[in-house]
Amino acid sequence: MQKNADDIVVFLIIVSALILALAAFIAIMVYLYRKKQISFFQNLEQIKLDHEKTLMSAQLEMQESTFQHISREIHDNISLSLTLAKLRLNTLNRDDRNEVEEKVTASVTLLTQCINDLSDISKSLNSDIIKQQGLTRALEDEVQRIRDAGMFTLDSWLTGNPIYMDAQKELIIFRVIQEAFNNIIKHAEARHAELSLHYDRERLYIAIDDDGNGFDTRLAREHQKAGLRNMETRVKMLRGTMIISSLPEFGTNLSFTIPID
Amino acid sequence: MDRFEKMIKLLDSRYYSDLIVAVFELIAIITGLIYARKDKTSVFFLAYLIFDFLIIIVDYGILYCYFSEKEFSNFVCFTNTLISFAELLAYYHFFLKIIHSKNTNKLMKILRVVFSVIIAIFITTGYGFLTNRFAYVSLLIGVIELLFLVPPSFVYFYELLKNEPIIDLYKRPSFWIVTGIFFYSVVSIPDYLIERSVAYYKPKYWNITNLLLFSIPISINSIFLTKAFLCKKTLTI
């Protein structure tokens, strides 16, 4: 009888030990998982913070570049035109009616030019159109603005079904395209350029080609050209890719692939 | 003694362990029918639970009254083999969906074929239907089935710790299912191995052994399956 009771105790101890061992195994599993999960979410938070930091820095860069653009436009065009107008009006011989008429007309033309330039700057800086009507509509206006400037001919294509993305994201894409055209205007001396956009369900593909001077991409990267670096940073921020193909005298091709999510 | 009294006496002598198993399975079935998504894996699990539940009802509600105790015990071994087969198919289908390791998946596919062949040989050759020898082979098949379920559980736990822990563990149906089957398999293998020896040499311990090493673990497995259904997510998450 005593032996049977001992057997039961031994048996119960073994079973309890087995169950406790399994429970401990599961508890360790849960503990390790939770620990890993906490570390994972901390990392995720850090990545989010880094991304926000990059976004902020890109916004500051964009702002800085915009200020430079405004400053250049004011200095090169508006200020010059206003100075000329002022000069003409200051040197006005009020007794000579013909000269008065000629100089006032020329000054009015210069002031009209200034107003148009200011209007162009204002339009190109205004991001409301992107928020209200989207990227494609804003690009249509931008293309028209460049065509009107008459520095080179510009063709544009849009294929696929446009998908509206986050306004902030569309603004960054818009500024990247603007930067690309600014580079063509400033450096390429192109006669013809093309802009094409293609939307599929997951990505937006953008290509910008010109037949201008071109450049050595390796040298440009080595010298960390600010314009290119800005574009690259902004595209990377959108988890996209940017490919530059260019050779001196053979024009330039810029391709961007931006994920839509 | 009428049939009902005979059944109650049997259940009483077995600490109502079969009733406990049936009740928890019924709860899992009802929860599954209400909350489980109607995907293939859920259907497989529900089919396995319903099959297991029906066999318990048929065994204890009807057959026990028409067979001798020894024949009944051997018959239960036979039905347990069918349950083992359904169980392995359901769990392997589930494991094949959740485990990423290609080698483990390949191995599971091979083991599934091997197990099906063993079952087919066992059933077609008869092996002395309703005899003690039949019961031994049936228990051995049970051990093989449970042994086949342990390695994928370990692989799942390994992959769980290796991959990115995005979802809370307690909200993952797969965690509850694997924990349940892992616990049941590990605890029940010794029971399957010693069951006949206990029945032969220490018959008075058989019922308590069966309760502790089989009925309680399988009931815990049913509780964990219920919890998995209550996660209201696809079971493979």
Side-chain angles (χ1 to χ4, degrees):
Chain A
M1 193 68 178
Q2 181 59 42
K3 194 173 180 310
N4 282 351
D6 288 348
D7 283 349
I8 290 176
V9 170
V10 170
F11 175 71
L12 285 175
I13 289 171
I14 292 169
V15 170
S16 307
L18 181 66
I19 292 171
L20 277 176
L22 280 177
F25 174 79
I26 302 297
I28 291 168
M29 267 291 312
V30 172
Y31 171 74
L32 291 175
Y33 187 90
R34 299 277 292 177
K35 204 173 147 191
K36 205 179 166 201
Q37 198 177 31
I38 290 167
S39 145
F40 172 77
F41 282 117
Q42 274 172 350
N43 280 345
L44 207 67
E45 199 58 38
Q46 191 56 47
I47 291 167
K48 247 188 209 170
L49 281 174
D50 288 347
H51 181 73
E52 272 169 24
K53 223 168 144 184
T54 320
L55 196 77
M56 194 80 90
S57 132
Q59 273 175 339
L60 282 173
E61 265 181 35
M62 260 161 63
Q63 224 169 38
E64 192 55 39
S65 132
T66 310
F67 288 151
Q68 278 176 6
H69 173 69
I70 300 168
S71 155
R72 216 168 29 236
E73 285 289 316
I74 291 172
H75 179 267
D76 296 351
N77 299 324
I78 298 156
S79 175
L80 196 70
S81 301
L82 287 174
T83 311
L84 268 175
K86 186 189 166 195
L87 201 70
R88 286 189 179 179
L89 293 173
N90 270 346
T91 56
L92 203 67
N93 182 0
R94 290 167 205 267
D95 298 332
D96 186 343
R97 197 176 164 79
N98 284 340
E99 194 192 322
V100 168
E101 204 169 295
E102 187 194 317
K103 284 191 173 175
V104 166
T105 310
S107 299
V108 167
T109 310
L110 284 169
L111 288 172
T112 309
Q113 181 64 41
C114 282
I115 290 165
N116 287 340
D117 285 349
L118 277 171
S119 168
D120 278 352
I121 292 172
S122 160
K123 273 183 198 164
S124 75
L125 294 177
N126 190 3
S127 59
D128 282 353
I129 189 168
I130 291 174
K131 287 176 191 157
Q132 286 158 8
Q133 296 178 47
L135 175 68
T136 50
R137 181 75 184 82
L139 281 174
E140 274 173 27
D141 286 2
E142 187 67 11
V143 164
Q144 196 50 52
R145 201 177 65 83
I146 295 167
R147 277 179 188 148
D148 290 346
M151 297 181 78
F152 50 82
T153 54
L154 175 60
D155 290 331
S156 68
W157 290 279
L158 169 66
T159 52
N161 294 321
I163 297 167
Y164 289 98
M165 293 177 269
D166 170 58
Q168 184 68 25
K169 194 171 181 177
E170 290 203 331
L171 180 63
I172 294 172
I173 297 171
F174 181 73
R175 294 291 182 224
V176 167
I177 295 172
Q178 244 182 353
E179 180 79 46
F181 279 112
N182 275 346
N183 286 341
I184 297 174
I185 292 166
K186 279 194 285 181
H187 311 294
E189 294 174 15
R191 282 172 299 165
H192 181 71
E194 289 174 6
L195 165 68
S196 66
L197 275 89
H198 174 73
Y199 283 90
D200 72 14
R201 283 184 180 189
E202 288 166 358
R203 287 178 191 81
L204 164 63
Y205 301 91
I206 304 164
I208 300 165
D209 299 282
D210 72 69
D211 62 355
N213 292 332
F215 58 96
D216 188 328
T217 51
R218 195 175 52 84
L219 278 177
R221 277 184 200 283
E222 273 173 14
H223 292 106
Q224 288 276 297
K225 294 284 182 191
L228 287 177
R229 200 189 57 230
N230 284 349
M231 281 197 285
E232 207 155 22
T233 312
R234 288 173 203 171
V235 171
K236 269 186 187 164
M237 208 172 61
L238 302 174
R239 289 183 291 113
T241 53
M242 174 175 123
I243 299 169
I244 311 168
S245 317
S246 184
L247 276 174
E249 308 303 324
F250 285 96
T252 303
N253 165 266
L254 283 174
S255 309
F256 306 100
T257 307
I258 317 273
I260 298 168
D261 45 37
Chain B
M1 198 189 296
D2 68 5
R3 275 166 50 183
F4 183 71
E5 274 179 1
K6 196 181 168 191
M7 193 179 75
I8 293 294
K9 200 175 166 223
L10 172 78
L11 288 174
D12 187 43
S13 70
R14 298 174 71 147
Y15 304 101
Y16 294 94
S17 57
D18 304 288
L19 191 65
I20 293 169
V21 173
V23 167
F24 282 114
E25 275 187 355
L26 187 62
I27 292 170
I29 290 166
I30 294 168
T31 316
L33 288 172
I34 298 170
Y35 293 112
R37 299 190 173 221
K38 306 295 174 236
D39 55 274
K40 216 172 162 185
T41 313
S42 302
V43 171
F44 262 51
F45 272 118
L46 277 172
Y48 148 68
L49 282 169
I50 292 169
F51 180 62
D52 197 0
F53 179 75
L54 287 179
I55 281 184
I56 292 174
I57 298 300
V58 171
D59 278 356
Y60 290 91
I62 305 164
L63 298 176
Y64 179 63
C65 309
Y66 300 103
F67 286 97
S68 72
E69 202 149 314
K70 199 177 167 190
E71 277 180 331
F72 172 73
S73 166
N74 289 333
F75 189 82
V76 168
C77 285
F78 169 70
T79 52
N80 279 350
T81 304
L82 293 182
I83 292 170
S84 293
F85 186 54
E87 199 168 65
L88 189 103
L89 288 185
Y91 278 98
Y92 264 31
H93 173 81
F94 167 74
F95 276 126
L96 283 168
K97 297 251 171 182
I98 58 165
I99 288 176
H100 300 110
S101 157
K102 281 182 184 167
N103 288 336
T104 311
N105 284 350
K106 225 182 261 176
L107 184 70
M108 275 197 288
K109 281 176 188 168
I110 294 167
L111 292 180
R112 191 166 58 180
V113 173
V114 169
F115 195 72
S116 306
V117 170
I118 292 171
I119 297 281
I121 292 170
F122 173 67
I123 291 171
T124 51
T125 56
Y127 233 90
F129 198 61
L130 302 189
T131 63
N132 267 342
R133 195 168 57 164
F134 183 87
Y136 277 122
V137 178
S138 167
L139 286 168
L140 194 66
I141 286 173
V143 172
I144 294 170
E145 183 237 335
L146 295 178
L147 279 175
F148 281 5
L149 288 172
V150 174
S153 307
F154 273 117
V155 174
Y156 170 80
F157 287 133
Y158 170 73
E159 286 187 352
L160 196 68
L161 288 180
K162 208 179 75 177
N163 297 332
E164 285 178 348
I166 302 164
I167 305 170
D168 197 342
L169 202 55
Y170 303 130
K171 289 177 186 163
R172 295 184 83 139
S174 64
F175 170 71
W176 293 107
I177 294 172
V178 178
T179 307
I181 194 64
F182 176 66
F183 184 79
Y184 161 59
S185 302
V186 174
V187 178
S188 293
I189 288 170
D191 178 54
Y192 275 70
L193 288 172
I194 61 168
E195 194 192 39
R196 282 287 126 171
S197 307
V198 173
Y200 189 75
Y201 296 110
K202 297 200 190 267
K204 60 190 283 192
Y205 292 157
W206 191 90
N207 287 330
I208 187 77
T209 315
N210 188 58
L211 173 72
L212 287 174
L213 294 183
F214 177 75
S215 303
I216 291 178
I218 202 168
S219 298
I220 289 174
N221 185 33
S222 297
I223 293 169
F224 280 20
L225 265 173
T226 308
K227 174 63 192 156
F229 288 135
L230 285 172
C231 288
K232 296 174 195 170
K233 289 189 175 88
T234 307
L235 295 181
T236 46
I237 288 173

